[in-house]
Short mmCIF file of all heavy atoms in Angstrom, two decimals:
data_model
loop_
_atom_site.label_atom_id
_atom_site.label_comp_id
_atom_site.label_asym_id
_atom_site.label_seq_id
_atom_site.Cartn_x
_atom_site.Cartn_y
_atom_site.Cartn_z
N TYR V 1 -3.23 8.53 -19.58
CA TYR V 1 -2.06 7.95 -18.91
C TYR V 1 -1.83 6.52 -19.40
O TYR V 1 -0.69 6.09 -19.59
CB TYR V 1 -2.27 7.99 -17.40
CG TYR V 1 -1.02 7.66 -16.61
CD1 TYR V 1 -0.13 8.66 -16.23
CD2 TYR V 1 -0.74 6.36 -16.22
CE1 TYR V 1 1.01 8.36 -15.50
CE2 TYR V 1 0.39 6.04 -15.49
CZ TYR V 1 1.26 7.06 -15.13
OH TYR V 1 2.40 6.75 -14.41
N LEU V 2 -2.93 5.79 -19.58
CA LEU V 2 -2.81 4.42 -20.09
C LEU V 2 -2.44 4.41 -21.57
O LEU V 2 -1.64 3.59 -22.02
CB LEU V 2 -4.12 3.67 -19.88
CG LEU V 2 -4.55 3.45 -18.42
CD1 LEU V 2 -5.91 2.77 -18.36
CD2 LEU V 2 -3.51 2.62 -17.68
N ARG V 3 -3.00 5.31 -22.35
CA ARG V 3 -2.72 5.36 -23.78
C ARG V 3 -1.28 5.80 -24.07
O ARG V 3 -0.79 5.60 -25.18
CB ARG V 3 -3.69 6.31 -24.48
CG ARG V 3 -5.10 5.78 -24.59
CD ARG V 3 -5.95 6.68 -25.46
NE ARG V 3 -7.32 6.21 -25.56
CZ ARG V 3 -8.26 6.77 -26.31
NH1 ARG V 3 -7.96 7.83 -27.04
NH2 ARG V 3 -9.49 6.29 -26.33
N ALA V 4 -0.63 6.40 -23.08
CA ALA V 4 0.76 6.81 -23.30
C ALA V 4 1.64 5.61 -23.62
O ALA V 4 2.68 5.75 -24.29
CB ALA V 4 1.29 7.53 -22.05
N ASP V 5 1.22 4.41 -23.19
CA ASP V 5 2.00 3.20 -23.49
C ASP V 5 2.03 2.90 -24.99
O ASP V 5 2.87 2.11 -25.45
CB ASP V 5 1.42 2.00 -22.74
CG ASP V 5 1.68 2.08 -21.24
OD1 ASP V 5 2.67 2.74 -20.85
OD2 ASP V 5 0.91 1.49 -20.47
N LEU V 6 1.12 3.50 -25.76
CA LEU V 6 1.09 3.28 -27.20
C LEU V 6 2.21 4.03 -27.91
O LEU V 6 2.51 3.74 -29.07
CB LEU V 6 -0.27 3.71 -27.77
CG LEU V 6 -1.50 3.00 -27.19
CD1 LEU V 6 -2.77 3.60 -27.78
CD2 LEU V 6 -1.44 1.50 -27.45
N LEU V 7 2.80 5.02 -27.22
CA LEU V 7 3.88 5.80 -27.81
C LEU V 7 5.22 5.09 -27.63
O LEU V 7 5.32 4.15 -26.82
CB LEU V 7 3.93 7.18 -27.14
CG LEU V 7 2.69 8.08 -27.29
CD1 LEU V 7 2.83 9.30 -26.40
CD2 LEU V 7 2.51 8.50 -28.75
N PRO V 8 6.24 5.51 -28.34
CA PRO V 8 7.59 4.96 -28.07
C PRO V 8 7.95 5.15 -26.60
O PRO V 8 7.49 6.08 -25.93
CB PRO V 8 8.48 5.80 -29.00
CG PRO V 8 7.57 6.21 -30.11
CD PRO V 8 6.23 6.42 -29.50
N ALA V 9 8.81 4.28 -26.09
CA ALA V 9 9.10 4.22 -24.66
C ALA V 9 9.53 5.56 -24.09
O ALA V 9 9.04 5.99 -23.03
CB ALA V 9 10.17 3.16 -24.40
N ALA V 10 10.45 6.24 -24.75
CA ALA V 10 10.95 7.52 -24.23
C ALA V 10 9.84 8.57 -24.20
O ALA V 10 9.69 9.32 -23.21
CB ALA V 10 12.12 8.01 -25.08
N ASP V 11 9.05 8.62 -25.26
CA ASP V 11 7.94 9.59 -25.31
C ASP V 11 6.87 9.24 -24.30
O ASP V 11 6.26 10.14 -23.68
CB ASP V 11 7.34 9.62 -26.72
CG ASP V 11 8.34 10.13 -27.75
OD1 ASP V 11 8.96 11.18 -27.52
OD2 ASP V 11 8.50 9.46 -28.78
N ALA V 12 6.62 7.94 -24.10
CA ALA V 12 5.61 7.52 -23.13
C ALA V 12 5.99 7.96 -21.73
O ALA V 12 5.15 8.44 -20.95
CB ALA V 12 5.43 6.01 -23.19
N ALA V 13 7.27 7.77 -21.37
CA ALA V 13 7.73 8.17 -20.04
C ALA V 13 7.59 9.68 -19.84
O ALA V 13 7.19 10.15 -18.77
CB ALA V 13 9.18 7.74 -19.85
N LYS V 14 7.88 10.45 -20.89
CA LYS V 14 7.76 11.90 -20.80
C LYS V 14 6.31 12.33 -20.62
O LYS V 14 6.00 13.18 -19.77
CB LYS V 14 8.34 12.54 -22.06
CG LYS V 14 8.27 14.07 -22.05
CD LYS V 14 8.86 14.64 -23.33
CE LYS V 14 8.77 16.16 -23.31
NZ LYS V 14 9.33 16.77 -24.56
N VAL V 15 5.41 11.71 -21.38
CA VAL V 15 3.99 12.05 -21.29
C VAL V 15 3.44 11.71 -19.91
O VAL V 15 2.70 12.50 -19.31
CB VAL V 15 3.19 11.34 -22.39
CG1 VAL V 15 1.69 11.47 -22.14
CG2 VAL V 15 3.55 11.91 -23.75
N ARG V 16 3.81 10.55 -19.38
CA ARG V 16 3.30 10.16 -18.06
C ARG V 16 3.80 11.11 -16.97
O ARG V 16 3.06 11.48 -16.07
CB ARG V 16 3.72 8.72 -17.75
CG ARG V 16 2.92 7.67 -18.50
CD ARG V 16 3.10 6.29 -17.89
NE ARG V 16 4.48 5.83 -18.11
CZ ARG V 16 4.86 5.06 -19.12
NH1 ARG V 16 3.97 4.70 -20.03
NH2 ARG V 16 6.12 4.68 -19.24
N GLY V 17 5.07 11.52 -17.07
CA GLY V 17 5.60 12.47 -16.11
C GLY V 17 4.88 13.81 -16.17
O GLY V 17 4.54 14.41 -15.14
N LEU V 18 4.62 14.29 -17.39
CA LEU V 18 3.90 15.55 -17.55
C LEU V 18 2.46 15.45 -17.07
O LEU V 18 1.92 16.39 -16.48
CB LEU V 18 3.94 15.98 -19.02
CG LEU V 18 5.29 16.46 -19.56
CD1 LEU V 18 5.20 16.67 -21.07
CD2 LEU V 18 5.71 17.75 -18.88
N LEU V 19 1.83 14.29 -17.30
CA LEU V 19 0.45 14.11 -16.86
C LEU V 19 0.34 14.14 -15.33
O LEU V 19 -0.63 14.66 -14.78
CB LEU V 19 -0.10 12.79 -17.39
CG LEU V 19 -0.56 12.78 -18.85
CD1 LEU V 19 -0.93 11.37 -19.29
CD2 LEU V 19 -1.75 13.72 -19.05
N LYS V 20 1.33 13.60 -14.64
CA LYS V 20 1.33 13.66 -13.18
C LYS V 20 1.43 15.10 -12.69
O LYS V 20 0.73 15.51 -11.76
CB LYS V 20 2.48 12.82 -12.62
CG LYS V 20 2.28 11.32 -12.74
CD LYS V 20 3.45 10.56 -12.13
CE LYS V 20 3.25 9.05 -12.22
NZ LYS V 20 4.38 8.30 -11.64
N GLN V 21 2.30 15.88 -13.34
CA GLN V 21 2.41 17.29 -12.96
C GLN V 21 1.11 18.04 -13.27
O GLN V 21 0.64 18.87 -12.48
CB GLN V 21 3.57 17.94 -13.72
CG GLN V 21 4.93 17.37 -13.40
CD GLN V 21 6.03 18.05 -14.22
OE1 GLN V 21 6.03 19.28 -14.40
NE2 GLN V 21 6.96 17.25 -14.75
N TYR V 22 0.54 17.72 -14.42
CA TYR V 22 -0.71 18.36 -14.82
C TYR V 22 -1.84 18.00 -13.86
O TYR V 22 -2.65 18.87 -13.48
CB TYR V 22 -1.07 17.90 -16.24
CG TYR V 22 -2.33 18.52 -16.80
CD1 TYR V 22 -2.34 19.83 -17.25
CD2 TYR V 22 -3.50 17.77 -16.89
CE1 TYR V 22 -3.49 20.39 -17.78
CE2 TYR V 22 -4.65 18.31 -17.41
CZ TYR V 22 -4.65 19.63 -17.85
OH TYR V 22 -5.79 20.18 -18.37
N LEU V 23 -1.87 16.77 -13.42
CA LEU V 23 -2.89 16.32 -12.48
C LEU V 23 -2.77 17.07 -11.17
O LEU V 23 -3.79 17.48 -10.57
CB LEU V 23 -2.74 14.81 -12.25
CG LEU V 23 -3.71 14.15 -11.28
CD1 LEU V 23 -5.16 14.38 -11.70
CD2 LEU V 23 -3.42 12.65 -11.20
N ASP V 24 -1.56 17.30 -10.71
CA ASP V 24 -1.35 18.07 -9.48
C ASP V 24 -1.89 19.49 -9.62
O ASP V 24 -2.50 20.04 -8.68
CB ASP V 24 0.13 18.11 -9.12
CG ASP V 24 0.66 16.75 -8.67
OD1 ASP V 24 -0.15 15.91 -8.24
OD2 ASP V 24 1.88 16.53 -8.76
N GLN V 25 -1.67 20.09 -10.76
CA GLN V 25 -2.16 21.45 -11.00
C GLN V 25 -3.69 21.50 -11.03
O GLN V 25 -4.30 22.45 -10.53
CB GLN V 25 -1.59 22.00 -12.31
CG GLN V 25 -0.10 22.28 -12.28
CD GLN V 25 0.28 23.30 -11.23
OE1 GLN V 25 -0.38 24.33 -11.08
NE2 GLN V 25 1.35 23.02 -10.50
N ARG V 26 -4.30 20.48 -11.60
CA ARG V 26 -5.76 20.45 -11.65
C ARG V 26 -6.35 20.29 -10.25
O ARG V 26 -7.38 20.89 -9.94
CB ARG V 26 -6.24 19.29 -12.56
CG ARG V 26 -5.82 19.41 -14.00
CD ARG V 26 -6.19 20.77 -14.57
NE ARG V 26 -7.64 20.98 -14.51
CZ ARG V 26 -8.20 22.17 -14.41
NH1 ARG V 26 -7.46 23.26 -14.32
NH2 ARG V 26 -9.51 22.29 -14.39
N ILE V 27 -5.72 19.52 -9.40
CA ILE V 27 -6.19 19.38 -8.02
C ILE V 27 -6.07 20.72 -7.29
O ILE V 27 -6.99 21.13 -6.57
CB ILE V 27 -5.39 18.28 -7.30
CG1 ILE V 27 -5.71 16.91 -7.89
CG2 ILE V 27 -5.69 18.28 -5.80
CD1 ILE V 27 -4.86 15.78 -7.35
#
């Protein structure tokens, strides 16, 4: 989630959003 900031802004926002959804599924 922190390393997503290394990507371009639009891609970083997409990755962070997907990671939140993924985290919910893992819980």
Side-chain angles (χ1 to χ4, degrees):
Y1 191 89
L2 296 176
R3 288 188 181 184
D5 289 334
L6 302 176
L7 298 171
D11 296 311
K14 180 180 179 181
V15 169
R16 285 195 292 266
L18 289 172
L19 281 173
K20 288 181 179 180
Q21 297 179 42
Y22 181 76
L23 179 57
D24 291 338
Q25 291 300 316
R26 297 309 299 152
I27 292 174

